[in-house]
Amino acid sequence: MRDAVRGVAQHFPTAIVSGRCRDKVFNFVKLEELYYAGSHGMDIKGPTKVSNHKLSTQADEVLCQPATEFLPVIQEVYETLTAKMESIPGAMVENNKFCLSVHFRCVEEAEWDALGREVKAVLEDYPKLCLTKGRKVLEIRPFIKWNKGNALKFLLKSLGYAGRGDVFPIYIGDDRTDEDAFKVLRNMGQGIGILVTKFPKDTSASYSLREPAEVKHFYISFQREYMCI
């Protein structure tokens, strides 16, 4: 998969938009030619490797961090939730810098409601943070108008692609939070969103792939078609 993504990035500006901390995503992917948008797009940074698509000659320049003022409160809530979740076996609180994730994939289903109540009780003291639900995870984010859709629009604008009719963005995702990016493309009437799922779901995406293996095949096929043009 890494080779497939690297191949796409050789021809097109390529970004990974994730709910996880940007540094964690980079350490996992290890491709310096990509754009990385961590914390649901609240921490965006350009390639650290020379690229035809790079926005700046400053390799380490951070492009966008719209929620910096929330860092202290995020850390405070992280410490509180970590202590609270110790009483629920299998629960894990992940600090993604500008947001938090409370994972309950390994928690007994009978404990899910109790976990949710604990999290909501903590957030009652933090009205500037909002709670959303993903796949067996609760996401805690700053109450600002910024999501993966905003990250997508920011990247398109920064690259000089906003408003151009000769650009075809493709966004692939498998999480509820990716719907914000799918909606952006649908509202633009330009490009496509691709949902990765094995089951039918309500979505703003235009197409679907069943699993990561199909995503990799799509990348490889896409490169082959491009080379034939």
Side-chain angles (χ1 to χ4, degrees):
M1 180 66 85
R2 184 176 289 111
D3 288 339
V5 174
R6 181 187 290 114
V8 172
Q10 288 177 353
H11 304 292
F12 307 99
T14 304
I16 293 181
V17 185
S18 174
R20 295 186 182 276
C21 172
R22 175 173 53 79
D23 290 339
K24 291 179 184 177
V25 178
F26 177 80
N27 289 334
F28 177 70
V29 179
K30 297 179 181 177
L31 291 176
E32 296 180 346
E33 53 267 67
L34 305 186
Y35 293 85
Y36 289 89
S39 301
H40 295 282
M42 288 183 282
D43 188 8
I44 303 176
K45 189 175 183 180
T48 56
K49 184 178 181 179
V50 176
S51 166
N52 293 333
H53 318 297
K54 195 167 178 184
L55 307 188
S56 170
T57 56
Q58 308 245 348
D60 295 326
E61 181 179 351
V62 175
L63 298 178
C64 185
Q65 289 185 332
T68 302
E69 65 182 281
F70 289 92
L71 286 175
V73 71
I74 290 290
Q75 181 61 31
E76 185 176 319
V77 173
Y78 170 70
E79 293 172 1
T80 302
L81 281 175
T82 299
K84 293 281 187 182
M85 292 299 109
E86 287 180 355
S87 63
I88 302 178
M92 185 187 77
V93 184
E94 183 179 12
N95 190 336
N96 292 311
K97 191 171 182 177
F98 291 98
C99 59
L100 303 174
S101 299
V102 182
H103 299 276
F104 57 92
R105 183 177 300 276
C106 297
V107 175
E108 292 290 337
E109 188 170 351
E111 298 288 333
W112 289 0
D113 287 342
L115 181 147
R117 287 194 297 271
E118 287 276 17
V119 173
K120 289 177 182 178
V122 170
L123 292 183
E124 286 179 358
D125 296 328
Y126 300 93
K128 292 186 178 181
L129 299 180
C130 63
L131 180 68
T132 58
K133 187 175 181 180
R135 293 187 305 164
K136 296 185 179 179
V137 61
L138 297 177
E139 305 277 5
I140 299 162
R141 289 184 269 174
F143 214 119
I144 61 174
K145 191 175 181 180
W146 196 269
N147 52 44
K148 291 181 179 180
N150 296 101
L152 173 59
K153 289 192 286 187
F154 174 84
L155 286 166
L156 289 173
K157 183 178 179 180
S158 298
L159 285 160
Y161 294 153
R164 284 177 48 174
D166 59 346
V167 176
F168 194 82
I170 299 174
Y171 188 101
I172 303 175
D174 65 354
D175 193 74
R176 291 183 184 182
T177 57
D178 293 308
E179 289 295 328
D180 293 314
F182 296 151
K183 289 174 185 175
V184 166
L185 293 181
R186 184 170 288 276
N187 291 337
M188 285 172 55
Q190 190 174 355
I192 56 172
I194 301 176
L195 176 67
V196 182
T197 179
K198 291 183 178 180
F199 309 102
K201 293 181 180 180
D202 290 332
T203 179
S204 294
S206 303
Y207 299 94
S208 68
L209 294 168
R210 287 174 293 184
E211 57 191 8
E214 289 194 352
V215 175
K216 183 174 74 171
H217 181 71
F218 173 80
Y219 289 154
I220 295 171
S221 299
F222 190 72
Q223 292 172 63
R224 289 174 179 168
E225 290 295 327
Y226 173 77
M227 296 302 291
C228 291
I229 296 176

